Amino acid sequence: MSSGLGAGHPVVLQELLESFVRSGTVAGAVALVERDGRREVAVAGVADLATGRLLTRDTPFRYASITKPLVAAATMTFVDDGALRLDDPIERWLPELRGVRVLRTPDADLDDTVALQRPQSVEDLLTSRCGWGFPSSFEGEWVQSLFPLQPGLEISLPPAPQEWLTALAALPLRHQPGEGWLYNTSFDLLGILLARVGGADLGEVLRTRLFGPLGMRDTAFSAAPDRLPAAYRLGADGLDLFDASDGRWSSPPRFLSGAGGLVGTLDDWSRFAHELLAPRLLSPDAVRAMTTDHLIDAQRLEGEVFLEGEGWGFGGSVHPVTGRYGWVGGSGTSAHVVPARGTTGILLTQTAMDSPVPPTFLREFWDYAF
């Protein structure tokens, strides 16, 4: 959907967001762009179509999968401290996964398996190469067996972490560890691992290791209903309610999803972006590892529907030309930095994506920001 601003119009960020609202693509949006020493912040639209409650810069949004870079960064604080090594076997903290098997081939029957060639590692989780997760094609018995094990954005009540681990361990890996790039599941596993390494639930670990030191006061796994906006999906006749302000994200969940469970504000993610561009908490080596592509060509191809030709660092994609690092969230969010340029672009909306392919309004924002 075009922004409708007209050819040659000298677009500013505020006008771009207002065009998204006018088109009916989003109920509201907040955004931040920093480049060339200049900072733009814009807010447009409403938090709730039913009440007309306005969005503000302090409105907490469902981060969805832009949670992943935050969890990756928290992991790297443990690596910097020496409490974790990238090559550590994850079964050291997740013994439930000992004895997992691997499909003989990616399209084999679920009982046609072989043994692990090596244990799954912490780096396998960070790079989404642990052997569990979604490939570009959602067809086949194995992928269909994985769907019920995604806490993600579904409204149905997710399992407790222990139940989830037990169920996941019963599903063989699609690939040997380190061999194939598969989306999402690695970061729910990583969240449970961090809780065990940190000796507290994932929310407390993230507060202690990342949010507190960076001043991210409004990022957590839930937000009060009077602050949380309603969430929508784009239907045939406009925006349909997906999750109300007093819905699932208004109280702490049983499963704290490291893949996509956080709620937070524009300024909080911006504080994290500043850490990636000028690290104080993380070591420069940690940030470099996060923002460097770790995939080979075959792995990028396997993840094509999600990556669209980009690579993957720790917790986010890496653009092959610009080095832009970050990710998108299925709730209609996008957050990226370009380390070489010192550029940040963050867009938070309430319109859930209906496929892994980013919607037009996100692409228009990227064209503006980067």
Side-chain angles (χ1 to χ4, degrees), residues 27 48 50 59 88 139 188 203 253 255 277 291 295 324 329 333:
D48 192 319
T59 297
D88 278 341
E139 297 179 357
D188 280 326
F255 192 111
L277 297 177
T291 58
L295 304 188
R324 183 183 71 192
T333 58

Side-chain angles (χ1 to χ4, degrees), residues 206-216:
L206 292 175
R207 281 191 295 274
T208 302
R209 307 292 301 194
L210 194 70
F211 303 158
L214 296 185
M216 299 171 66

Side-chain angles (χ1 to χ4, degrees), residues 37-61:
R38 180 167 169 256
R39 180 183 178 99
E40 278 187 284
V41 177
V43 182
V46 298
D48 192 319
L49 290 171
T51 66
R53 176 166 54 99
L54 293 176
L55 282 178
T56 72
R57 182 167 171 169
D58 296 326
T59 297
F61 286 76

Side-chain angles (χ1 to χ4, degrees), residues 280-293:
R280 297 175 294 108
L281 176 66
L282 295 166
S283 70
D285 285 346
V287 173
R288 190 175 304 111
M290 286 182 62
T291 58
T292 297
D293 179 17

Side-chain angles (χ1 to χ4, degrees), residues 11-143:
V11 181
V12 298
L13 186 59
Q14 184 67 41
E15 291 176 323
L16 185 64
L17 297 198
E18 289 173 358
S19 75
F20 296 160
V21 175
R22 284 196 306 272
S23 71
T25 303
V26 301
V30 300
L32 176 149
V33 174
E34 288 190 79
R35 60 188 169 195
D36 302 325
R38 180 167 169 256
R39 180 183 178 99
E40 278 187 284
V41 177
V43 182
V46 298
D48 192 319
L49 290 171
T51 66
R53 176 166 54 99
L54 293 176
L55 282 178
T56 72
R57 182 167 171 169
D58 296 326
T59 297
F61 286 76
R62 298 158 185 81
Y63 276 168
S65 283
I66 64 171
T67 295
K68 291 179 173 70
L70 301 173
V71 171
T75 304
M76 295 309 291
T77 68
F78 285 107
V79 173
D80 282 341
D81 289 351
L84 279 176
R85 290 172 52 96
L86 293 177
D87 60 357
D88 278 341
I90 65 173
E91 63 185 34
R92 173 180 170 189
W93 294 276
L94 306 175
E96 297 88 345
L97 304 185
R98 287 179 183 146
V100 296
R101 305 278 292 179
V102 185
L103 293 178
R104 187 176 299 278
T105 64
D107 57 355
D109 292 338
L110 296 185
D111 59 357
D112 184 7
T113 64
V114 298
L116 288 178
Q117 294 174 355
R118 67 162 175 81
Q120 298 160 293
S121 70
V122 173
E123 185 168 0
D124 291 332
L125 297 183
L126 287 163
T127 58
S128 293
R129 296 183 294 191
C130 78
W132 284 304
F134 289 105
S136 286
S137 172
F138 294 162
E139 297 179 357
E141 181 185 13
W142 187 88
V143 175

Side-chain angles (χ1 to χ4, degrees), residues 42 45 61 82 88-89 103 108 126 145 163 171 189 207 229 239 271-272:
F61 286 76
D88 278 341
L103 293 178
L126 287 163
S145 298
E163 298 169 3
L171 182 68
L189 267 176
R207 281 191 295 274
L239 293 171
R271 291 183 180 97
F272 174 65

